[in-house]
Amino acid sequence: MNVQTEPPCGVCERPTAKATRVEAQVRYCSTCYARCFKRLLCGGCGMFKQLLASKEDPRCQDCIAAMPCVRCRRIGRPVGKITAGGPACNSCASYFSDARPCEMCSSPSRILRVLRTADGDKTACPRCMRVDHRTCALCRKHRLCDEMHDGRWQCKLCRDIGEVPCSTCSLPMPAGMGKRCSSCYWLERCVRSATQLVELLKTKRARDAFAAFAAWLPSQGYVQKAAVGLRKHVQFFELLESTGDEAWTSDFLLKHLGPAMLRKYELPMRWLRAEGGVTLHTQDKAREADGRRVRKASNTMPEGTVGRRLLESFEAELARRRDAGKLTDRSMRLAFRPALVLVALEDADGARAPTQLALERYLTATPGQRAALSTFVGFLKTNCGIELRLPPKRAGSSATARKALEKQITALMAPSVDPASVTKRWAPMALRYFHHLSSTQANEVVAKSVQKEVEGGMVLSCDGQDYWIPSNLSGLAHLGQR
């Protein structure tokens, strides 16, 4: 039984060793070619050519090859394959081929090349083709390399030829780089990217500014970074273009873009500072950032509600105090945030004004916000007639206060402390430590008492009460060891 191995003609389906013509991936034998192709006028170049008679508006091979690539739409690239939809360039032709298994790793791939191995030639995928490749230490290209005596890898071009002059700047460079050095390559790519991206801008001012920025970047040593990042930087000039015809001052940039956006576009801002004299001060950026946070927090409450009106009035009052110099922007933000939380705790939709119960619930959960919330409580009482009472401040932990007093006594025991200072400060500290008096009470006892030396210490008598304290610190050495 004979097995057909030759591909058939696409019309008569008879096997043919060599097709006379391949049109849109359809093979034509000599007989079918003579029957299907006639001398017709090409619809592209207007010349008489042998064209497929059954096709409407037929085009010759030269006109088809001049069309844009069906995949990447680029023009002028070498043609790798003529598909049914049009030409595919040599970079995209592999995407229109059937995947075949690699003879090295058996993985299917559309791109297979002949690889010479010890076992003979094999078709290999791109990964297997580069399994023996290394990065050349001179030209930084990933190629077949030989290991040198110093342990570095060098490709054949860099090893055999050495250095050649760059075709652009004429400076010596490794031969493996090709025609241009890396600096000239990135500079040319930067110029090409700038020429393409400037078309995104409409106004002359924005276009001129972006062109000046793109020309400034290479002079600062950002050639490769500029070529890669220009697409992101052009967005900064699009934002400036969309804001109108105002001058690009520091106040304008902070107002329309904000500190966060200016941090994102660091290099354009550095160009504005170097070429346009735009200087942003730290306090101005902090003020604008705090103001934006306050406005953003206020907008979380629905418009027209009781809570929204209270917050807007409170924000206006805080702004008035800030403009009068009685409040900083940071203090304004720190005072506004607990007010928003209190209003939302009473009602998430802002339908009701905060009540005493919501205030107590909030301070129970976050007692550290008592001082920050006092400004809003005072505002509600003075401007809105809403009477809220702040609960009494919690007393500090006795254990914490006692540890702090122990640290003071330990510091008093240091050899470098003046003896006269020890004598003056010891009695009040001892009264507070041993008799649990307050600082005011201890000072009053020391001032009014009658002191009497006894064995191992002294007694201070005041208002019919006797207080014994050690006469020196030697018995308290254990405090310094804790």
Side-chain angles (χ1 to χ4, degrees):
M1 179 179 181
N2 295 329
V3 179
Q4 177 179 321
T5 58
E6 296 176 347
C9 171
V11 179
C12 63
E13 297 185 354
R14 289 182 298 181
T16 175
K18 184 178 180 180
T20 304
R21 179 75 171 264
V22 178
E23 181 83 9
Q25 295 182 316
V26 177
R27 296 166 57 86
Y28 293 87
C29 63
S30 58
T31 303
C32 295
Y33 172 74
R35 185 173 66 250
C36 298
F37 285 81
K38 304 298 180 182
R39 190 172 183 268
L40 301 173
L41 195 65
C42 173
C45 61
M47 303 294 291
F48 282 99
K49 302 287 182 69
Q50 290 295 119
L51 303 176
L52 187 62
S54 60
K55 190 174 182 180
E56 295 183 5
D57 190 21
R59 302 293 176 97
C60 64
Q61 295 287 339
D62 295 336
C63 292
I64 293 176
M67 295 170 60
C69 173
V70 294
R71 182 175 180 271
C72 66
R73 309 307 300 172
R74 289 185 292 181
I75 300 176
R77 298 280 298 176
V79 177
K81 176 178 289 190
I82 302 295
T83 68
C89 67
N90 56 354
S91 300
C92 301
S94 59
Y95 291 92
F96 297 91
S97 303
D98 296 331
R100 293 180 296 162
C102 170
E103 295 184 6
M104 301 289 292
C105 64
S106 301
S107 299
S109 175
R110 290 187 175 93
I111 304 174
L112 295 175
R113 299 289 184 269
V114 177
L115 176 65
R116 293 182 178 179
T117 65
D119 299 332
D121 294 348
K122 294 185 178 181
T123 55
C125 63
R127 175 186 289 181
C128 296
M129 285 289 294
R130 297 182 177 91
V131 69
D132 294 330
H133 285 42
R134 299 289 187 274
T135 300
C136 177
L138 298 180
C139 65
R140 309 305 301 169
K141 302 292 186 181
H142 197 64
R143 295 170 173 159
L144 285 173
C145 297
D146 296 326
E147 188 174 6
M148 309 304 291
H149 63 277
D150 56 359
R152 298 187 304 166
W153 295 90
Q154 287 187 2
C155 65
K156 186 176 185 297
L157 291 174
C158 293
R159 184 189 68 240
D160 296 344
I161 302 177
E163 291 186 342
V164 295
C166 171
S167 60
T168 303
C169 64
S170 301
L171 294 177
M173 66 175 189
M177 284 188 174
K179 297 180 180 180
R180 292 176 298 176
C181 62
S182 59
S183 299
C184 293
Y185 164 76
W186 286 113
L187 182 60
E188 188 272 337
R189 180 172 170 181
C190 180
V191 173
R192 185 171 69 248
S193 298
T195 305
Q196 295 171 350
L197 293 173
V198 75
E199 300 300 326
L200 297 174
L201 304 172
K202 299 179 178 62
T203 63
K204 183 178 185 302
R205 182 171 70 147
R207 292 169 67 95
D208 292 344
F210 178 71
F213 167 71
W216 171 83
L217 273 179
S219 65
Q220 302 298 311
Y222 299 109
V223 182
Q224 182 173 350
K225 190 174 182 180
V228 176
L230 270 180
R231 185 175 296 276
K232 182 188 77 170
H233 299 320
V234 74
Q235 299 172 4
F236 175 78
F237 295 90
E238 289 179 311
L239 290 174
L240 293 181
E241 187 179 46
S242 64
T243 54
D245 299 330
E246 296 184 47
W248 296 340
T249 61
S250 57
D251 294 337
F252 169 84
L253 294 172
L254 283 174
K255 177 182 177 182
H256 289 85
L257 301 184
M261 191 67 70
L262 297 182
R263 284 195 300 271
K264 177 181 178 181
Y265 299 107
E266 178 187 359
L267 282 179
M269 284 305 303
R270 193 178 299 178
W271 171 75
L272 281 177
R273 182 166 59 250
E275 302 297 325
V278 177
T279 303
L280 297 178
H281 298 287
T282 304
Q283 58 269 25
D284 295 336
K285 292 189 288 186
R287 181 179 68 251
E288 180 64 24
D290 289 331
R292 284 175 174 262
R293 290 174 182 173
V294 170
R295 292 190 293 271
K296 182 179 179 180
S298 179
N299 293 335
T300 58
M301 192 64 61
E303 293 186 5
T305 59
V306 175
R308 179 65 176 266
R309 289 195 295 270
L310 287 176
L311 292 175
E312 289 177 347
S313 301
F314 184 52
E315 181 183 351
E317 174 65 17
L318 292 177
R320 185 187 64 78
R321 296 185 189 182
R322 179 199 59 196
D323 296 338
K326 299 179 180 179
L327 202 67
T328 64
D329 292 276
R330 179 175 175 81
S331 299
M332 177 180 174
R333 176 173 62 85
L334 294 178
F336 186 84
R337 185 64 188 176
L340 172 65
V341 176
L342 178 62
V343 172
L345 187 63
E346 175 64 33
D347 187 84
D349 296 329
R352 300 187 303 273
T355 60
Q356 183 67 32
L357 179 60
L359 175 65
E360 293 177 355
R361 285 170 54 199
Y362 179 51
L363 290 181
T364 300
T366 54
Q369 292 292 325
R370 185 182 187 279
L373 193 61
S374 61
T375 306
F376 184 54
V377 172
F379 167 79
L380 292 177
K381 179 179 179 180
T382 305
N383 299 75
C384 306
I386 301 175
E387 186 76 30
L388 298 180
R389 293 179 293 101
L390 288 172
K393 184 183 295 187
R394 292 183 179 181
S397 172
S398 58
T400 303
R402 192 165 181 83
K403 287 182 179 179
L405 186 58
E406 287 182 1
K407 291 183 179 180
Q408 297 178 23
I409 297 175
T410 303
L412 199 63
M413 296 166 59
S416 59
V417 180
D418 183 17
S421 176
V422 174
T423 304
K424 181 179 179 181
R425 297 167 56 191
W426 166 239
M429 282 189 183
L431 289 172
R432 292 170 58 193
Y433 185 78
F434 290 103
H435 298 280
H436 304 285
L437 301 182
S438 66
S439 179
T440 303
Q441 292 171 338
N443 291 329
E444 185 178 351
V445 168
V446 172
K448 296 181 179 180
S449 66
V450 177
Q451 301 179 8
K452 182 175 62 173
E453 295 285 345
V454 296
E455 183 179 358
M458 67 172 60
V459 176
L460 287 76
S461 301
C462 179
D463 297 333
Q465 184 73 29
D466 294 335
Y467 301 94
W468 177 90
I469 61 174
S471 57
N472 54 60
L473 301 177
S474 59
L476 301 178
H478 63 283
L479 293 179
Q481 300 174 357
R482 292 188 177 183

